[in-house]
């Protein structure tokens, strides 16, 4: 578990359980006591008010008033929320869509102007469609949590993205492509990239991607991606 995920897990446990011991937090995030103590110190530096109870059996407690003032969402995190709602709507599986949209609108309004611009550019790459009922989902796996941050850095910075990829036959290769779009065919997500080696677009299932990273000192131009007629941009889905 990386640092950001550990911090999120610690805050989530403290929010849900009130008080927790360092040992319990260490078990929760799969880290040592020393690492958790460093994480708590880092969270305090971010502005979270975390009280410590000294003595035998003591623990730590998060001041609930500090959460609303300090909780900050990154562009990839807001993007992940938006596309998750969009994916559920596309699958006709979101009974409280209006309430979800209202909540997400409040989150977006709280973002600084530069992040709003990045978020809108990010959403401009997103397309939604319907998966064929004949698609085999037996080998569907989890997506690498580093994929969205890597895609954000590559897409917004116009850098190529490099990653390991396992194809449908189980063969592993390293790929380096221009990230042009993201396609959601619930429950599958695809990275649509222009492959310079093949001089063509390629669709990569995101659950088959590992170790993604933006390639520094690289650049590319945006291209028009020819999607099928039943695929629509995210902006049209919102109407």
């Amino acid at each position: 578990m990386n640092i950001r995920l550990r911090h999120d897990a610690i805050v989530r446990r403290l929010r849900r359980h009130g008080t927790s011991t360092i040992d319990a937090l260490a078990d929760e995030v799969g880290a040592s006591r020393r690492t958790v103590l460093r994480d708590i110190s880092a969270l305090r530096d971010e502005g979270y008010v975390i009280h410590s109870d000294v003595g035998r059996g003591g623990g730590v407690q998060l001041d609930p008033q500090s959460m609303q003032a300090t909780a900050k969402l990154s562009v990839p995190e807001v993007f992940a929320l938006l596309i998750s709602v969009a994916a559920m709507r596309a699958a006709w599986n979101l009974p409280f869509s209006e309430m979800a949209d209202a909540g997400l609108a409040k989150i977006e309004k709280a973002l600084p102007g530069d992040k709003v611009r990045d978020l809108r550019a990010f959403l401009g790459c997103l397309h939604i469609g319907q998966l064929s009922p004949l698609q085999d989902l037996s080998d569907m796996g989890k997506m690498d949590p580093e994929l969205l941050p890597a895609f954000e850095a590559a897409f917004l910075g116009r850098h190529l993205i490099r990653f390991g990829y396992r194809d449908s036959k189980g063969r592993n290769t390293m790929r380096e492509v221009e990230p042009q779009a993201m396609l959601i065919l619930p429950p599958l997500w695809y990275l649509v990239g222009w492959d310079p080696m093949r001089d063509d677009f390629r669709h990569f299932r995101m659950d088959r991607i590992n170790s993604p990273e933006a390639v520094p000192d690289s650049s590319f131009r945006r291209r028009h991606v020819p999607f099928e007629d039943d695929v629509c941009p995210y902006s049209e889905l919102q109407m």
Side-chain angles (χ1 to χ4, degrees), residues 3 12 14 16 21 27 34 43 49 57 64 91 108 115 118 120-121 124-125 152-153 180 208 211 215 218 230:
I3 294 175
R12 187 163 54 247
L14 290 176
R16 291 176 178 175
T21 65
D27 289 340
R34 179 176 298 181
L43 287 167
V49 179
E108 185 175 349
K115 287 192 175 183
D118 287 346
R120 288 175 179 170
C125 77
E152 179 209 19
Q180 297 289 341
R208 293 175 177 171
S211 305
V215 180
S218 65
D230 59 348

Side-chain angles (χ1 to χ4, degrees), residues 94-127:
L94 188 62
F96 307 110
S97 59
E98 292 183 2
M99 187 179 298
D101 284 338
L104 290 172
K106 292 178 182 178
I107 292 174
E108 185 175 349
K109 287 180 180 178
L111 292 175
D114 58 337
K115 287 192 175 183
V116 171
R117 289 191 297 271
D118 287 346
L119 178 62
R120 288 175 179 170
F122 216 177
L123 289 173
C125 77
L126 180 62
H127 291 72

Side-chain angles (χ1 to χ4, degrees), residues 173-193:
T173 57
M174 289 299 299
R175 312 301 290 269
E176 194 170 294
V177 302
E178 302 172 359
Q180 297 289 341
M182 186 178 296
L183 173 63
I184 302 180
L185 305 178
L188 295 180
W189 298 31
Y190 292 86
L191 168 63
V192 183

Side-chain angles (χ1 to χ4, degrees), residues 3 44 55 84 89 95 104-105 155 189 191 194 199 202 205 222-223 239:
I3 294 175
R44 284 171 172 156
S84 296
R89 181 183 288 111
L104 290 172
F155 183 81
W189 298 31
L191 168 63
W194 177 266
D199 197 32
R202 288 291 185 271
R205 267 180 49 175
R222 293 291 303 278
R223 301 170 186 266
M239 294 179 180

